[in-house]
Amino acid sequence: MKISVTLTKNPKPRPDENSLGFGKYYTDHMFIMDYDKENGWHDARIVPYAPIVLDPAAMCIHYAQEAFEGMKAYRHADGSISLFRPMENCRRLNSSNDRLCIPLINEDDMLQAVRELVRVDADWVPRKPETSLYIRPFVFATEPHVGVHPSATYQFVIILSPVGAYYAEGLAPVKIYVEDKYTRASKGGTGATKAAANYAQSLKAQMDAQAKGYSQVLWLDSVEQKYVEEVGAMNIFFKINGEVITPALTGSVLPGITRKSTVELLKYWGVPVSERRLSIDEIRDAAHNGKLEEVFGTGTAAVVSPVGVLGYKDEKYVINNFQIGELTQKIYDELTGIQWGTRPDPFGWVMPL
Ligand SMILES: Cc1ncc(COP(=O)(O)O)c(C=O)c1O
């Protein structure tokens, strides 16, 4: 794919790497590509970061025909930059596109666009430990039309954001509320995609949980509200009596790339791990019997996030005395070590830029 490059004449001041936060700053450039029926995906370009002009009738605004991805570029100690399993994100974006009737994008072209954009803004990849460059590819419907049908035109855009550790306080246990009123994804719905609409409809539960002193919610299945699915922006793992369990990908759970890597890592280490249905009753029993050993979430943003408390109805289960579990810490150290190049990568997950 030919990508034209127009460099900015007004580079922005660089943010202080000690206070990057998450998703606060955006780099100097962005990638854009257009779609229409006559030309398919065309006019790939890297241009100065700027607002996007949209017709007020653009269908993404009215009918949420939008999908996105989240991945990171990591600076290694020798100054080089790498990506982590980027083709997995390209494949997942296309699977979201397919579900949302958005035209598929050639996956090699997506990867090329990510790599070329990161190369143009390479100096924005931060150097401080635990910082990275968050990459946000997204695709949205642009046809000006009021009426529900798949849009005839789209844009594919990639923006970049230098980020610090997801939790400012570092790796520390979080409190999660098991949501028993709202649900995230229904059978046959869009739960397995990164559709923007999934996140809009999850906000109410998150706000209610925060008002109760929890940081995020753990979703239960939408049919019986009995089986655990995932957390707001993370997949979830439970270590019960020596076995690590994560909910199976039954169509309503996002197939996380950190989840996949964690399962592969555990198998490599010989730790018993299963992907299966797991009911909240089994978790409650394990908590009451002292068998609920560790709970942690996995996702690109936080990598691994220990869970210290699970709140369910009027009960609270404190996990591992609100301390980071041994296995949780080991997975965090291994994944981040591979990502930042301080540990060997026996799986071939790291792709140099
Ligand atoms: C709903 C949801 N589940 C799980 C994840 C974790 O996926 P990944 O490990 O690919 O970042 C994310 C983040 O992308 C998410 O938004």
Side-chain angles (χ1 to χ4, degrees), residues 191-202:
T193 71
K194 274 185 89 75
N198 289 343
Y199 298 82
Q201 69 85 36
S202 75

Side-chain angles (χ1 to χ4, degrees), residues 68-71 88-89 92 134 136 184 191 193-194 198-199 219 230-236 253-261 298-303:
F68 68 98
E69 267 306 321
M71 57 207 286
E88 296 283 341
N89 295 89
R92 191 170 65 186
Y134 187 78
R136 168 54 57 88
R184 174 184 175 273
T193 71
K194 274 185 89 75
N198 289 343
Y199 298 82
W219 297 104
E230 62 182 315
V231 182
M234 293 190 295
N235 295 106
I236 188 88
V253 172
L254 190 83
I257 294 153
T258 325
R259 173 192 181 281
K260 181 174 182 176
S261 307
T298 62
T300 298
V303 191

